[in-house]
Amino acid sequence: SQQGEEDPQALSIQEGENATMNCSYKTSINNLQWYRQNSGRGLVHLILIRSNEREKHSGRLRVTLDTSKKSSSLLITASRAADTASYFCATDANSNYQLIWGAGTKLIIKP
Amino acid sequence: DVKVTQSSRYLVKRTGEKVFLECVQDMDHENMFWYRQDPGLGLRLIYFSYDVKMKEKGDIPEGYSVSREKKERFSLILESASTNQTSMYLCASNPSQGQDQPQHFGDGTRLSIL
């Protein structure tokens, strides 16, 4: 089952600009994670935000969580060509093991 | 750093063949996962294992089985490959029960069934 939905599906911006991606989900969560996937590679964990947190930072990444709207956003500031990748959100589910994944946002940074 | 290694990056097999995809992790993680990834559908969980010889079905287990005889190795088996199983297969692991542990992924196996 697919809980998270990323928006937009694709985003193309100039290097140096900020990129914002959104994730919406349907049921209550304990935490939400963001991952990056470079073309043809596996996913890499970026950041986890818990349901009692509203904002979290890691380097050029800023994640917000609004549990009342069941949504999260990932902001990448001062984008670089190396940020070109697909970005996925994942939420915990009723089981202790399973994550539920969105379909991803494909981000292209133009030099 | 955690390393999750999938045995093949690309694999081409024929319809009806029995196909084995292997995954090994080197960090003594209890949990291991097999996903398939198709354009526009995100990651869909096929099976996961929370301990040696233990397995649980995910969202799309039909046509697949798994084996976990050793803690570090988790195998995905396509019993009789079909063309609709052409996909990218991703293996992942994480260290413990609970969803606050990030999953660590291999680089994937792109499988084509002809």
Side-chain angles (χ1 to χ4, degrees):
Chain A
S1 57
Q2 197 162 321
Q3 153 130 286
E5 292 186 8
E6 285 93 343
D7 167 55
Q9 289 186 337
L11 179 61
S12 180
I13 61 174
Q14 292 293 140
E15 194 168 20
E17 293 180 342
N18 295 341
T20 300
M21 288 157 274
N22 303 297
C23 170
S24 60
Y25 57 92
K26 296 173 184 169
T27 62
S28 62
I29 62 172
N30 295 309
N31 61 67
L32 183 146
Q33 302 180 43
W34 285 92
Y35 288 77
R36 184 189 75 235
Q37 183 180 33
N38 291 95
S39 179
R41 306 299 296 271
L43 281 75
V44 174
H45 180 260
L46 294 175
I47 199 163
L48 179 149
I49 187 165
R50 301 183 193 282
S51 60
N52 62 354
E53 298 174 310
R54 290 297 165 257
E55 188 170 311
K56 204 162 181 179
H57 296 254
S58 177
R60 293 184 297 112
L61 305 180
R62 173 180 165 240
V63 169
T64 61
L65 179 64
D66 187 335
T67 53
S68 67
K69 294 182 179 177
K70 292 187 170 60
S71 68
S72 173
S73 67
L74 170 66
L75 168 68
I76 303 174
T77 59
S79 63
R80 304 168 182 168
D83 295 327
T84 292
S86 292
Y87 292 82
F88 295 87
C89 68
T91 56
D92 57 340
N94 289 331
S95 82
N96 284 325
Y97 308 98
Q98 191 168 345
L99 292 177
I100 300 179
W101 298 83
T105 292
K106 187 169 186 176
L107 175 65
I108 297 172
I109 309 299
K110 295 179 285 187
Chain B
D1 267 359
V2 175
K3 191 159 180 63
V4 178
T5 303
Q6 294 185 230
S7 54
S8 305
R9 290 294 304 277
Y10 302 93
L11 205 54
V12 180
K13 296 291 183 180
R14 296 208 172 272
T15 304
E17 281 193 68
K18 191 168 185 175
V19 181
F20 294 84
L21 302 183
E22 306 287 347
C23 175
V24 176
Q25 50 94 3
D26 65 358
M27 283 300 291
D28 204 36
H29 286 172
E30 287 79 16
N31 303 329
M32 296 188 75
F33 307 83
W34 274 109
Y35 295 93
R36 65 176 281 176
Q37 183 179 27
D38 300 289
L41 295 179
L43 274 69
R44 293 182 291 167
L45 182 66
I46 305 171
Y47 268 97
F48 67 95
S49 168
Y50 51 91
D51 202 351
V52 175
K53 297 191 187 295
M54 306 304 289
K55 61 186 179 185
E56 293 272 352
K57 292 180 181 179
D59 296 321
I60 51 165
E62 296 79 17
Y64 303 94
S65 63
V66 289
S67 172
R68 190 155 180 214
E69 296 296 318
K70 294 184 178 181
K71 193 173 185 180
E72 66 271 18
R73 185 181 296 270
F74 192 34
S75 303
L76 179 69
I77 303 152
L78 285 66
E79 298 290 343
S80 177
S82 63
T83 55
N84 63 11
Q85 292 178 310
T86 291
S87 187
M88 170 74 115
Y89 289 87
L90 292 164
C91 175
S93 71
N94 72 358
S96 67
Q97 185 174 353
Q99 298 297 32
D100 61 348
Q101 297 294 325
Q103 292 188 12
H104 300 266
F105 284 80
D107 277 338
T109 295
R110 190 165 292 281
L111 175 65
S112 296
I113 307 296
L114 305 178

